Amino acid sequence: MDTNWDVVVIGSGFGGLSAALSLSEKGKRVLVLEKGTAPGGCASSFRKSGYVFESGATTLVGLEPGLPFDKLSTEFQIQFPLIPLKRSMVVHLHEKTIERYRDRAEWNEEAKRAFGGGLRMEVFWKLCYFVSDSLWSLSGRYKFFPFKNLSDVWKSIGSFRPSDVIVLFFSLISLRLVLISLGLTQNKEWIRFLEEQLLITSQTTSTKISMAFASVGLTYPQLQNYVVRGGMVSLAETILGRIEANGGKILYKQEVIDLKKISVADGNEDLVWELRTKNRENFLFYAPLVVSNLPIWNLTEITEDLPKLKKKTTKFEKGIWGAFSMGIAIQTNPSEEWTKTDCLHHQIHLKDVLPYGGGNSLFLSLSHPEDPIRSPKGIRILSISTHIENPESWIRDVSYPEKKKKIESIIIQTLVEKFPWFQKDKILFLHSATPVTWKTWTGRKFGRVGGIPNSYFSNPFKMLSNRSEDPNLLLTGDTVYPGQGIPAVVLGGLHVVEQFLARKRC
């Protein structure tokens, strides 16, 4: 086994893979160490009983010109196995069915139909579009943000546009204040709709999030949505194919348990990173540069070389969500109209909060009817997920099986009530995952998923940088800038490489 590399990437989430791809395209020999048996991190897939299940219900956006996935595919000339969707999402809010139209004008009318508000509602959504578009543009241009010194500011001056001031303003103004200013706080269904939409994109609620971050989270259904042929894992495998063609490699079942700086063997003053992994045997790997795709609280537990970051992580230890997810294979009749026309993504508001810290809504994703890789014809795969508060409270004790079964039964009954095509006797296979499962599978502390809630960053300049206190340890993933979501972590992975190379040139 080759133990010496130019770069070692810890974890194969999309932030780490994006950084690995960029570095490998620039001539670096890159090794990716992955704890699990498949790439992709929390946005992966796995095969069980002959079906391909997603790790969680999820959507894919960000291929419009200038957005992160477009940058990834065009800059490196990669073709991903994507299927574009005609419909983004349907929200089931008690007795109301709300279509999240991709067309902005259509969605404006649908929002007014469902929640009222007239011109004030239209002004709100037009403001969301403007701020969201501007923030994506700003994020792509400011490659050295969050600024760590005056040099970063100087390098970014040429990227400045007058509209950036407006984005900064709304980064410091709460969504709640905007809603109050527009007189849009009286309709309880409308506020509930916002809360549940923000939880699945920003891990927080309308009272705690800035208008800038809220705009991005609320408008992603107005971007082109896609599903991935063969499951989300196909995205990661496509990127890995290019990395391996460039001389890189991924090793599975290699959980990094120790990371430290050491002197090289020839006695000079240069230092390299030593990484120890846990497997049947403990392996050692060496590289002058490490890219961590681990959550910050995982990273600081395996190294003593980041004392400043370790101190910062204590601020983000509370209020991090976990997830309860289910995968169901169900028999269908391909001739039924719903199998051809039904929206693949649904958010279902629940009458009662789920027990054991569960959420107020479910998110459901259906497999595409034209994807035979995930299941044979006549069988559809359902991926369902919901938030879990205080995931650290979930342990494998005597009550664990009962808690798991209770949430399973509520989810299944909800699906029976909402969808005429969902019948219990047509279920061919099902499985569920709790925070305990997520911890075992991904290694994320307490099974935390979704990144750090955007409410922690009411001041965007306080976001955690991609650059650690050690210039040769780079950070990617959903717990550092620019945060959660596949487009965001891809952007972070690409930017951190450009930051590193720019520093090396200075």
Side-chain angles (χ1 to χ4, degrees), residues 322-325 350 354 358-363 384-388 407 411:
F324 187 99
S325 53
L350 301 171
L354 285 168
N360 290 292
S361 67
L362 306 175
F363 195 83
I384 307 106
S385 63
T386 186
H387 285 84
I388 294 288
I407 296 181
I411 290 175

Side-chain angles (χ1 to χ4, degrees), residues 179-318:
L179 293 172
I180 291 172
S181 301
L182 291 171
L184 292 174
T185 58
Q186 303 305 312
N187 187 326
K188 292 182 179 180
E189 280 194 336
W190 158 244
I191 298 300
R192 172 82 186 275
F193 167 82
L194 290 178
E195 306 290 24
E196 297 305 319
Q197 291 275 286
L198 287 169
L199 273 175
I200 61 176
T201 57
S202 304
Q203 313 302 316
T204 191
T205 58
S206 64
T207 58
K208 300 177 181 179
I209 192 171
S210 72
M211 181 62 187
F213 286 129
S215 296
V216 174
L218 292 172
T219 58
Y220 88 90
Q222 276 66 62
L223 297 173
Q224 174 64 62
N225 275 245
Y226 298 85
V227 293
V228 187
R229 193 180 302 275
M232 293 294 289
V233 72
S234 299
L235 286 180
E237 291 172 341
T238 302
I239 296 172
L240 275 170
R242 177 64 66 85
I243 293 171
E244 291 171 336
N246 292 335
K249 190 174 185 178
I250 184 168
L251 294 177
Y252 297 103
K253 296 184 179 181
Q254 297 291 331
E255 179 183 4
V256 178
I257 58 173
D258 187 58
L259 172 66
K260 61 185 177 183
K261 274 284 189 73
I262 64 167
S263 298
V264 293
D266 59 11
N268 64 36
E269 296 182 355
D270 290 338
L271 299 175
V272 298
W273 290 102
E274 178 186 84
L275 302 93
R276 183 183 299 274
T277 64
K278 181 177 71 174
N279 200 334
R280 293 175 183 173
E281 302 177 51
N282 286 351
F283 293 110
L284 294 175
F285 299 93
Y286 303 91
L289 177 65
V290 166
V291 179
S292 171
N293 197 92
L294 301 179
I296 53 173
W297 35 78
N298 284 70
L299 174 61
T300 54
E301 288 186 346
I302 64 170
T303 183
E304 298 297 325
D305 289 313
L306 299 173
K308 292 181 180 178
L309 181 64
K310 190 175 184 67
K311 186 177 180 180
K312 288 182 180 179
T313 61
T314 58
K315 300 178 182 179
F316 308 114
E317 287 284 345
K318 294 182 179 180

Side-chain angles (χ1 to χ4, degrees), residues 11 34 49 76 91 98 125 127 135 159 167 219 228 241 253 262 271 314-315 336 338 353 355 363 371 382 480 501:
E34 168 56 45
S49 294
F76 303 115
V91 178
I98 303 163
W125 284 105
L127 179 60
L135 185 54
S159 300
V167 175
T219 58
V228 187
K253 296 184 179 181
I262 64 167
L271 299 175
T314 58
K315 300 178 182 179
E336 293 178 3
W338 79 268
V353 179
F363 195 83
D371 185 1
L382 284 67
V480 296
L501 295 177

Side-chain angles (χ1 to χ4, degrees), residues 417-433:
E417 293 172 1
K418 286 293 178 183
F419 303 106
W421 48 262
F422 187 91
Q423 299 170 25
K424 290 182 183 180
D425 60 357
K426 292 186 177 181
I427 295 176
L428 302 174
F429 179 83
L430 71 81
H431 72 91
S432 64

Side-chain angles (χ1 to χ4, degrees), residues 154-172:
W154 178 254
K155 292 171 185 174
S156 304
I157 287 177
S159 300
F160 175 77
R161 295 178 185 174
S163 61
D164 297 345
V165 177
I166 301 175
V167 175
L168 176 59
F169 173 77
F170 283 110
S171 296
L172 303 173

